[in-house]
Amino acid sequence: MHQPPSQEAILRAVASSTAIETGQRIADIEAKLRSGDSHLPQVALAALSRPAQPAQR
């Protein structure tokens, strides 16, 4: 059985994908995600707001 990705891996994937789409630096996006500084404070990455649950089959 394989392990789900870590919160750090998910954060990095979101930041790098966003950087490709927006032209921003990955480090800047990661810092913003970690700080919680958002124009939509009620929205958070699911992996950062609760522990990951294994997929049910």
Side-chain angles (χ1 to χ4, degrees), residues 11-56:
L11 186 130
R12 183 78 173 171
V14 169
S16 62
S17 175
T18 303
I20 290 168
E21 292 179 19
T22 64
Q24 294 177 290
R25 294 182 53 231
I26 293 171
D28 294 341
I29 296 167
E30 285 180 340
K32 187 166 186 167
L33 290 170
R34 283 190 182 95
S35 75
D37 180 26
S38 171
H39 65 282
L40 297 172
Q42 71 276 18
V43 178
L45 290 176
L48 297 178
S49 60
R50 63 177 182 222
Q53 298 295 319
Q56 295 184 8

